[in-house]
Amino acid sequence: MTLTRTTRLERGRSALGPALELVHTGRAPTRAVLTSELGVTRATAGAVAAELEALGLIQVDSRPTAAAGSQGRPSHRLAVDPAGPVVLAAQVHADGFRAALVGLGGRIVATAPGCMTVPADPAHVLAAVVDAGAELLRETGRRCLGAGLAVPSAVAEPEGTALNPLHVAWPAGAPVRDIFAERVRDAGILATAGSGVTVFAGNDVNLAALAEHRHGAGRGARDLLCVATGHRGVGGALVLDGRLHSGSSGLALEVGHLTVNPKGRTCHCGSRGCLDIEADPLAFLTAAGRDPGPEVSLLQQARDLLRDERESPSVRTAVQVLIDRLGLGLAGLVNILNPDRVILGGLHRELLAADPERLRAVVAERSLWGQSGSVPLLACSLDHNSLVGAAELAWQPVLDDPLSVLPQ
């Protein structure tokens, strides 16, 4: 008896989430690849793709074209629906915030920055973030399925509290996820009656690593180390065996507090010479003999200085100083963690571009048995990767089970 589409879908319902994730991450560009990756029949893969299309999540090209020189019947092409639903992604940093609407595939649909002195009460800035996101939704008319927040702090799980917001004035233990969720609910921006929608919060560098692993420079790595400067400070994150490693309670890999200059400045944590204050944008400006101004963020000031005065002796010296400090920290991390790839974000991306040979040499010089020095050092490739990572948190319930979130 020929299976009906409904019967095929019932048989393949458990494959809906995995299928969507394959399209979302670009690993299933055609129905043939989807069939192979899922290990199902062509008919079941077709029913699954058709259901995801009916939910408004993907597009199935019904008139595929074969590549030149290929044989056999060409396969239908699969892509995320560019007009599909979005999630609200938000990032708070030392100089303000940014809100964005992000679709499947990590595609930023609309974004709105906000510059402000971040107040001691996180509720004020989170209200501004959600207001900005609500305005983007009104302007675009998009349906919002969830919300994710990136913050410059370790976020304890399962409580969702910011434990060490060193570069904003929030009190330690601020319940940022609950506050964000309350503001999102009050704004009434979640347009789904499903039961699977939740509001999430996470550390900004952790989320940057998650985004880069799924959509950027970390794609294909099994064990990925990410080290990045934010607007202030240095953070790190680790993807192990393809999954973000956050430890038993969300607090793993606080790399900013590795000592890289024993005679350096006193850190906010009470130690001295930490990577957090020895290799961030303020450290770069200081090493170059420049006083930071109030007009734009420290990160932007450091980037502008490196771009506009790269050949200045003081800037070249600052580049060398920070590369040596960063390389020392990376060497220790690589020796301990043995990743197959290291990606660098924020100002560290520009430092890698400015003198890649020096940074690789510093890491190699301190590597174990010469092997750690061969680990690829790459630049993060996504703009606003922490925002994209916050969106990944919000998309995860949909990726896990689309039918539990979206109306049928």
Side-chain angles (χ1 to χ4, degrees):
M1 183 177 74
T2 303
L3 289 174
T4 66
R5 176 178 173 276
T6 301
T7 306
R8 290 180 188 130
L9 181 57
E10 289 172 353
R11 183 171 291 184
R13 172 170 178 163
S14 62
L16 281 175
L20 182 60
E21 183 166 343
L22 286 167
V23 178
H24 169 64
T25 56
R27 290 177 289 151
T30 68
R31 200 168 69 182
V33 175
L34 184 68
T35 301
S36 175
E37 290 290 328
L38 293 178
V40 298
T41 65
R42 287 176 58 189
T44 297
V48 168
E51 182 65 16
L52 292 174
E53 185 176 39
L55 291 170
L57 298 173
I58 73 170
Q59 289 182 329
V60 181
D61 186 347
S62 59
R63 295 172 297 172
T65 57
S70 63
Q71 297 181 352
R73 186 170 64 181
S75 179
H76 290 65
R77 298 190 183 193
L78 308 178
V80 300
D81 188 342
V86 296
V87 296
L88 170 62
Q91 181 182 10
V92 176
H93 52 74
D95 300 301
F97 66 86
R98 183 176 288 270
L101 306 182
V102 183
L104 285 168
R107 188 173 63 91
I108 295 179
V109 174
T111 180
C115 294
M116 64 184 298
T117 300
V118 178
D121 183 357
H124 292 301
V125 67
L126 294 180
V129 165
V130 174
D131 286 346
E135 180 61 27
L136 292 176
L137 287 167
R138 284 191 291 271
E139 292 172 356
T140 61
R142 293 299 187 99
R143 178 175 51 154
C144 183
L145 299 183
L149 171 68
V151 295
S153 168
V155 177
E157 294 295 345
E159 301 86 355
T161 55
L163 287 189
N164 64 336
L166 298 178
H167 302 295
V168 292
W170 300 342
V176 292
R177 186 178 60 202
D178 289 348
I179 296 170
F180 184 54
E182 182 180 359
R183 295 296 180 272
V184 168
R185 286 193 299 268
D186 290 346
I189 62 177
L190 296 184
T192 176
S195 60
V197 174
T198 1
V199 175
F200 296 89
N203 170 262
D204 51 4
V205 180
N206 276 355
L207 298 183
L210 178 62
E212 292 285 346
H213 184 259
R214 290 186 175 179
H215 305 292
R219 182 181 290 174
R222 190 189 70 171
D223 300 322
L224 174 70
L225 172 64
C226 174
V227 176
T229 55
H231 287 244
R232 290 287 301 274
V234 176
L238 185 64
V239 174
L240 289 179
D241 199 20
R243 292 187 174 274
L244 182 66
H245 175 70
S246 56
S248 61
S249 56
L251 308 179
L253 220 69
E254 283 291 300
V255 306
H257 302 291
L258 290 172
T259 299
V260 294
N261 183 13
K263 297 181 180 180
R265 294 178 294 145
T266 300
C267 181
H268 314 278
C269 71
S271 187
R272 181 178 292 276
C274 292
L275 193 64
D276 199 62
I277 60 168
E278 297 290 342
D280 77 338
L282 180 59
F284 179 74
L285 294 170
T286 301
R290 307 303 169 89
D291 294 324
E295 297 83 8
V296 296
S297 73
L298 293 171
L299 179 58
Q300 191 59 53
Q301 290 179 60
R303 283 172 165 164
D304 291 345
L305 180 61
L306 186 55
R307 181 194 64 221
D308 298 338
E309 301 184 41
R310 183 170 172 175
E311 297 306 317
S312 163
S314 62
V315 172
R316 292 173 63 183
T317 297
V319 168
Q320 293 173 0
V321 167
L322 261 73
I323 281 179
D324 290 350
R325 294 172 183 171
L326 175 61
L328 178 61
L330 289 178
L333 290 167
V334 167
N335 287 338
I336 293 169
L337 301 172
N338 191 215
D340 55 51
R341 196 178 309 176
V342 177
I343 57 174
L344 302 176
L347 181 63
H348 294 167
R349 179 170 61 175
E350 280 80 7
L351 292 174
L352 173 64
D355 197 344
E357 291 78 13
R358 186 183 184 97
L359 182 56
R360 293 187 176 108
V362 173
V363 175
E365 181 183 357
R366 294 170 172 82
S367 68
L368 293 173
W369 308 290
Q371 296 299 311
S372 300
S374 64
V375 175
L377 303 180
L378 303 176
C380 289
S381 62
L382 299 177
D383 292 329
H384 308 305
N385 50 18
S386 292
L387 275 176
V388 176
E392 289 298 311
L393 293 184
W395 275 117
Q396 195 60 52
V398 184
L399 297 175
D400 290 339
D401 187 357
L403 294 180
S404 72
V405 176
L406 292 161
Q408 301 175 44

